């Protein structure tokens, strides 16, 4: 284990250098020798959260460990470009959910681009390109005529046409990162540009094309976090949902009206706020969830039921720690994280709103 670089992971009221190093070490302790990063040892791995934790390792300069995580995905990709939704304790041969969820599959593009920007390693990008390409092709086979992305393909091959706003917003972010990878390799993908534009148009203009999950905070902020909504559209959306989802001093509800705040949703909202230019609000949110920190492990409890003053569930998850480190890294000016979530230089796709 190397000594983590923590200068950009220090944030008043959130992390000291020592705490940041402990959080990185906590994720590394969970990572298996083969590179897999489950939620915690004995629980499952899902590909999206695995990538989130790997990205957090890159923010601290743990590039070898992060690369091992991406290599795990490359080795165990299914023939159709997908990964399964859940692997017991990160064991590739012990699949506990054989569905293939599109946002889980797409997210490798975000991680690979983040790792490349963190390291400048062209060899890594070349090696991972076939994996990213196959993953995006799998995902886009489930794109619907309205632009939205069907959220899952069952193990028997049956595709699900129903789309989730959160999942599609995450896919939009991944598509933009995949296009950036393609541009870097000088392998343009015009079909992906068209797909990204149609997807952004659906997210911005056609809420009826998505299942109604308005009770979930992720549906509130993910169109902003994924980069589909920016500027005044993003600010209006945040203001509309703020009092529904934000519990002052405690964090962000996962679902209304449940009295349950979660660290992952709170950190992701902070990252979305930072992307909008509202760093002060982002800092407030991150400071409000420090009651979820477990100082012994350096990790964070998934959530807190404030009506009962109870930590629930009793689990310290790598992805909660990962999301917090990414939000702190953005506020701290980590270049790769700022580029990936700030999105200024990511291709937007050919949006029908902008093109005749």
């Amino acid at each position: 284990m190397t000594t983590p670089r923590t200068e950009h992971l220090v944030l008043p009221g959130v992390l000291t250098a020592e705490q940041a190093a402990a959080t990185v070490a906590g994720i590394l302790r969970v990572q298996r020798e083969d590179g897999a990063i489950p939620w915690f040892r004995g629980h499952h791995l899902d590909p999206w959260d695995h990538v989130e934790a790997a990205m957090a390792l890159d923010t601290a300069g743990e590039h070898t460990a992060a690369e091992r995580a991406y290599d795990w995905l490359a080795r165990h990709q299914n023939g159709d470009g997908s990964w399964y939704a859940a692997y017991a304790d990160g064991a590739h041969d012990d699949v506990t959910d054989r569905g293939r969820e599109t946002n889980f599959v797409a997210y490798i593009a975000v991680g690979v681009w983040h790792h490349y920007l963190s390291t400048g390693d062209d060899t890594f990008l070349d090696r991972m390109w076939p994996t990213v390409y196959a993953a995006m092709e799998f995902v886009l086979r489930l794109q619907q005529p309205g632009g939205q992305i069907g959220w899952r393909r069952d193990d028997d091959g049956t595709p699900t046409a129903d789309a989730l706003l959160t999942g599609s917003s995450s896919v939009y972010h991944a598509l933009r990162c995949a296009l950036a990878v393609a541009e870097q390799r000088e392998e343009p993908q015009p079909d992906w540009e068209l797909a990204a534009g149609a997807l952004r148009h659906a997210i911005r203009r056609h809420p009826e094309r998505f299942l109604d999950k308005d009770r979930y905070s992720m549906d509130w902020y993910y169109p902003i976090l994924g980069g589909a909504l920016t500027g005044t559209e993003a600010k209006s959306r945040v203001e509309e949902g703020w009092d529904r989802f934000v519990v002052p001093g405690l964090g962000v509800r996962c679902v209304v009206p449940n009295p349950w705040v979660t660290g992952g949703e709170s950190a992701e909202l902070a990252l979305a706020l930072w992307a909008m230019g509202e760093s002060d609000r982002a800092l407030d949110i991150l400071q409000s969830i420090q009651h979820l920190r477990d100082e012994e492990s350096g990790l964070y409890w998934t959530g807190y039921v404030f009506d009962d003053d109870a930590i629930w569930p009793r689990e310290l998850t790598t992805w909660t720690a990962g999301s917090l480190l990414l939000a702190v890294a953005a506020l701290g000016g980590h270049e790769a994280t700022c580029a990936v979530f700030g999105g200024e230089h990511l291709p937007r796709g050919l949006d029908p709103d902008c093109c005749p």
Side-chain angles (χ1 to χ4, degrees):
M1 186 183 300
T2 61
T3 301
R5 293 178 54 242
T6 58
E7 60 271 15
H8 49 268
L9 297 177
V10 175
L11 198 59
V14 181
L15 288 177
T16 64
E18 293 76 15
Q19 288 174 323
T23 300
V24 174
I27 296 173
L28 289 170
R29 281 194 300 273
V30 176
Q31 186 176 32
R32 291 162 45 116
E33 285 297 319
D34 62 2
I37 310 177
W39 285 20
F40 51 88
R41 294 312 302 268
H43 206 278
H44 75 262
L45 172 152
D46 75 69
W48 198 101
D49 289 312
H50 169 85
V51 169
E52 184 91 333
M55 292 171 69
L57 293 177
D58 268 326
T59 67
E62 294 286 352
H63 303 313
T64 300
E67 188 167 336
R68 287 171 49 227
Y70 296 120
D71 286 342
W72 186 93
L73 289 169
R75 289 195 307 273
H76 303 305
Q77 189 173 33
N78 295 323
D80 62 0
S82 70
W83 292 273
Y84 295 119
Y87 301 80
D89 198 33
H92 74 276
D93 55 354
D94 191 359
V95 179
T96 55
D97 183 346
R98 302 186 74 86
R100 288 155 287 170
E101 300 187 17
T102 46
N103 68 304
F104 283 12
V105 174
Y107 208 57
I108 188 173
V110 181
V112 164
W113 185 237
H114 183 261
H115 184 76
Y116 172 72
L117 293 178
S118 298
T119 63
D121 187 347
D122 289 301
T123 301
F124 168 81
L125 204 66
D126 291 343
R127 188 173 76 249
M128 293 301 298
W129 170 244
T131 303
V132 171
Y133 180 87
M136 299 316 300
E137 288 293 298
F138 169 85
V139 170
L140 292 179
R141 286 194 289 272
L142 275 78
Q143 187 166 34
Q144 305 303 303
Q148 71 275 26
I149 306 292
W151 76 277
R152 176 182 168 105
R153 188 181 290 276
D154 292 334
D155 187 39
D156 63 4
T158 303
T160 300
D162 289 337
L164 301 172
L165 181 58
T166 294
S168 285
S169 297
S170 179
V171 170
Y172 175 68
H173 188 201
L175 256 175
R176 297 176 70 195
C177 291
L179 283 165
V181 173
E183 285 187 6
Q184 180 66 27
R185 301 191 75 258
E186 299 183 350
E187 296 199 31
Q189 302 295 321
D191 289 347
W192 293 4
E193 292 185 59
L194 291 168
L199 178 54
R200 182 171 185 250
H201 179 76
I203 293 168
R204 294 177 66 209
R205 299 288 181 255
H206 293 282
E208 76 281 357
R209 294 177 184 171
F210 301 92
L211 295 176
D212 183 6
K213 301 288 183 180
D214 182 62
R215 295 173 57 233
Y216 291 81
S217 62
M218 294 176 79
D219 262 26
W220 167 48
Y221 64 76
Y222 243 90
I224 302 165
L225 182 59
L229 294 185
T230 58
T232 57
E233 286 183 321
K235 291 182 182 296
S236 294
R237 190 174 184 88
V238 163
E239 295 308 324
E240 288 167 5
W242 189 267
D243 291 337
R244 291 183 69 210
F245 293 110
V246 176
V247 182
L250 292 178
V252 177
R253 295 178 193 257
C254 178
V255 188
V256 294
N258 298 3
W260 182 45
V261 295
T262 49
E265 275 82 350
S266 299
E268 287 180 342
L269 173 62
L271 195 50
L273 291 167
W274 167 84
M276 292 167 51
E278 298 198 10
S279 295
D280 289 346
R281 254 178 163 179
L283 177 59
D284 287 343
I285 293 293
L286 293 177
Q287 290 173 338
S288 75
I289 58 170
Q290 293 317 299
H291 62 99
L292 295 175
R293 182 176 178 86
D294 176 63
E295 290 294 348
E296 182 177 353
S297 67
L299 297 175
Y300 290 77
W301 299 105
T302 298
Y304 171 71
V305 182
F306 50 86
D307 273 5
D308 298 331
D309 188 24
I311 293 291
W312 184 85
R314 299 290 298 185
E315 56 185 34
L316 295 162
T317 43
T318 52
W319 52 267
T320 300
S323 63
L324 180 123
L325 287 174
L326 285 168
V328 172
L331 268 71
H334 183 251
E335 289 187 10
T337 305
C338 292
V340 167
F341 289 99
E344 294 88 349
H345 303 296
L346 289 179
R348 284 203 174 276
L350 301 179
D351 192 329
D353 278 358
C354 305
C355 305

